Amino acid sequence: MEHDIVIHSGQIATADFLFDGDIAIKDGRIVAVAETIAGGERRIDAGGRIVMPGGIEAHAHIAQESAAGVMTADDYLSGSISAAFGGNSSFIPFAAQHRGQSIDHVLETYDARAARSVIDYSYHLIVSDPTEEVLRDQLPRAFERGVTSFKVFMTYDLLNLGDAGMLDILTVARAHGAMTMVHCENDAMVKWMNRQLAAQGLVAPKYHAISRPALAEAEAINRAVQLAKLADAPLFVVHVSTPEGAEIVRREKYGGAKLYAETCPQYLALTRNDLDRPGMEGAKFICSPPVRDTETQSALWHHVRMGTFESVSSDHAPYRADDSGKFGAGRDAPYPKIANGMPGIAMRLPYLFSQGVVGGRIRLEDFVALTSTNAARTFGCTKKGRIAPGMDADIAIWNPETRWTATLADQHDNMDYTPFEGMEITGRPEIVMNRGEVVVEHGALKAAEGQGRFFGRAPVDLRARPGVALSEFDPARNFGVGLR
Ligand code: DUC
Ligand code: ZN
Ligand code: ZN
């Protein structure tokens, strides 16, 4: 048989246009896209369905110890299954370096953990200890094996690199064409707020939202962008949670900076009132940066529509509401000692489809771009995120009309709550494929443990953003100094 699978009669959705047609798959790749394709060992009828690139989840914490030593509830098996049920064909979780660890050791550790995945995976490195050897030898070795992005932090004592440390990383990244991802919050502002609140005994979960003001995010985003401009390095601002921060991204991006950004569903769906739920329920909604208010939600939706963000990512950071996660420091721990993060890898696409596409806020093409194609472009996933001959057959078939209510059981993760509990959703993935293998079909898992494979990624396409010319770096105007 010429084709292994033919998906027929569906509406094919790409980031650019929609059309009715068929897709042929052979040996895990898309080999043809046409109005009609005959044959196929298996023919999948996608009548009344939307056929789109499977999601690429570009921000997830899986089998990762936090700097404080708390392990996420999901490993690569449960995390990848949950991702697939949520419409993802691949994901890029973090491989976190803790201080004193070599990058080679970190990647070996995550290779062993990720071997359980049911979908394809890559990693972003988290760099917390940029020693000379890390900068000179270990990061270049990581780039060589296709780990072409990493995250740095501007806050948290065990992670914060400081401005000079960030410049070092940005410089190495620029030299290799790697993407630096950054968590932007002004560390001193957060610590100062924590002291103010603690002095008044205000340590319940709801005060977490107050302790990390929008100003702290905006100041840090602005600083990170200026540092990246100095190094002429590409920068990806993760989990933008404020209009103030998004405005800086918009302005600087259209000013030419090599700048990229994402927001997350929790900043569109939840508010600080969720942190004020009775008892310690609010702890379930503690993440950083924090969820904000309804005005922020509307402003962030505006930025999603206007193209400020490349992606909407889940920032899946699953800590159970028990001693293994949120309450490792005790059931009534003050908010700074409650593990930071919430799950959402299975809800990212359904929430965005329902509120965005069905809700009339974004086009279906935008949905594909925000959930898959832009992540592929930004993070160098050259074989994923598109429906075209030669691409991996990473495909999700959605029923756009299914109505359902989000519950914990739907998540297929290893969590004991979902922050999306009870939300009414329209639209659901029915079949999710990775390299032509069906991973999920009509609510059943079809993939075996370990079916996913590591994929290396290409360097950032530095031509995609012009950068900003600085006169101090122009030998004709800087007294001939050789910089960069
Ligand atoms: N940053 C993240 O990206 N995820 C969880 C917590 C955090 O600070
Ligand atoms: Zn972060
Ligand atoms: Zn995160």
Side-chain angles (χ1 to χ4, degrees):
M1 195 55 86
E2 192 188 352
H3 304 310
D4 298 333
I5 300 174
V6 170
I7 302 170
H8 67 93
S9 313
Q11 181 189 42
I12 299 174
T14 75
D16 302 312
F17 48 83
L18 313 177
F19 58 101
D20 295 333
D22 299 355
I23 299 171
I25 297 167
K26 179 79 181 165
D27 297 332
R29 291 274 167 91
I30 296 170
V31 291
V33 182
E35 264 178 283
T36 54
I37 300 175
E41 204 165 300
R42 178 176 180 196
R43 289 184 65 79
I44 297 177
D45 184 355
R49 307 291 189 266
I50 302 169
V51 184
M52 61 176 106
I56 300 173
E57 172 58 79
H59 188 151
H61 303 269
I62 307 289
Q64 183 194 324
E65 298 100 347
S66 71
V70 185
M71 186 53 123
T72 56
D74 280 314
D75 63 10
Y76 271 79
L77 183 60
S78 62
S80 64
I81 291 172
S82 185
F85 273 95
N88 296 287
S89 293
S90 65
F91 62 167
I92 316 175
F94 293 94
Q97 181 203 30
H98 296 295
R99 292 199 172 155
Q101 292 180 336
S102 78
I103 299 295
D104 307 81
H105 168 76
V106 171
L107 291 176
E108 265 169 39
T109 303
Y110 279 85
D111 281 341
R113 293 175 182 174
R116 305 192 72 187
S117 182
V118 301
I119 58 173
D120 287 358
Y121 56 91
S122 189
Y123 320 116
H124 310 291
L125 275 172
I126 288 176
V127 183
S128 68
D129 198 1
T131 62
E132 223 178 294
E133 207 192 320
V134 165
L135 295 170
R136 191 189 55 230
D137 303 326
Q138 296 176 12
L139 288 177
R141 264 204 298 279
F143 304 139
E144 260 165 45
R145 61 162 288 188
V147 177
T148 56
S149 53
F150 42 81
K151 182 178 178 187
V152 298
F153 286 78
M154 300 176 83
T155 187
Y156 302 128
D157 284 342
L158 294 172
L159 298 170
N160 184 5
L161 298 186
D163 294 356
M166 273 181 66
L167 278 169
D168 284 343
I169 297 280
L170 286 161
T171 306
V172 174
R174 172 68 173 87
H176 294 272
M179 181 70 83
T180 303
M181 304 165 81
V182 60
H183 175 123
C184 295
E185 287 182 294
N186 178 302
D187 188 54
M189 283 188 188
V190 171
K191 283 183 173 147
W192 186 79
M193 291 294 285
N194 282 343
R195 280 199 302 276
Q196 299 269 322
L197 291 162
Q200 297 170 62
L202 305 177
V203 294
K206 64 184 171 192
Y207 298 111
H208 172 76
I210 309 306
S211 72
R212 307 179 90 95
L215 278 176
E217 176 173 277
E219 188 285 327
I221 290 179
N222 185 56
R223 186 156 36 100
V225 175
Q226 307 317 318
L227 294 171
K229 280 158 65 178
L230 187 64
D232 193 32
L235 184 75
F236 188 99
V237 181
V238 298
H239 51 47
V240 176
S241 69
T242 60
E244 292 85 347
E247 274 302 320
I248 295 167
V249 170
R250 185 191 60 78
R251 193 182 68 229
E252 293 285 0
K253 196 197 273 192
Y254 291 97
K258 293 180 165 70
L259 185 58
Y260 305 80
E262 68 178 13
T263 189
C264 311
Q266 49 272 37
Y267 302 116
L268 303 170
L270 305 169
T271 69
R272 67 177 56 137
N273 289 339
D274 293 300
L275 285 153
D276 192 22
R277 294 194 191 190
M280 290 301 275
E281 275 295 290
K284 295 176 177 174
F285 300 88
I286 286 185
C287 63
S288 293
V291 295
R292 313 266 178 193
D293 51 30
T294 51
E295 291 80 7
T296 296
Q297 291 178 339
S298 312
L300 289 175
W301 269 116
H302 175 77
H303 282 280
V304 169
R305 296 181 75 165
M306 295 306 293
T308 303
F309 303 117
E310 272 63 39
S311 302
V312 176
S313 306
S314 74
D315 194 0
H316 183 72
Y319 298 109
R320 292 170 68 99
D322 62 24
D323 303 351
S324 74
K326 290 277 174 192
F327 300 123
R331 286 269 152 188
D332 50 6
Y335 71 80
K337 291 202 170 350
I338 295 173
N340 237 287
M342 62 173 80
I345 202 163
M347 288 304 299
R348 173 181 77 117
L349 301 188
Y351 177 81
L352 196 68
F353 187 89
S354 189
Q355 287 294 316
V357 180
V358 180
R361 294 181 172 96
I362 56 173
R363 302 171 308 153
L364 182 52
E365 297 93 313
D366 302 325
F367 175 80
V368 174
L370 288 163
T371 58
S372 183
T373 308
N374 287 350
R377 283 196 189 114
T378 308
F379 293 114
C381 314
T382 52
K383 292 286 177 208
K384 299 191 179 293
R386 296 169 183 86
I387 296 209
M391 290 289 146
D392 285 351
D394 285 9
I395 293 172
I397 303 176
W398 282 63
N399 184 331
E401 285 169 5
T402 307
R403 287 166 178 263
W404 53 290
T405 304
T407 65
L408 177 60
D410 288 320
Q411 309 300 303
H412 298 92
D413 58 12
N414 195 25
M415 284 296 295
D416 53 358
Y417 76 95
T418 168
F420 297 90
E421 187 76 40
M423 287 192 195
E424 301 292 330
I425 304 287
T426 303
R428 192 162 210 180
E430 288 181 343
I431 295 181
V432 179
M433 287 182 189
N434 176 205
R435 278 181 288 104
E437 300 282 347
V438 174
V439 181
V440 165
E441 185 164 6
H442 297 289
L445 179 68
K446 300 288 181 183
E449 177 175 340
Q451 196 168 296
R453 284 196 211 142
F454 173 82
F455 58 98
R457 291 175 291 114
V460 182
D461 184 352
L462 292 171
R463 299 165 308 172
R465 302 271 193 280
V468 179
L470 304 179
S471 65
E472 292 84 354
F473 289 80
D474 177 358
R477 292 191 287 167
N478 73 356
F479 314 112
V481 179
L483 290 171
R484 277 195 190 129

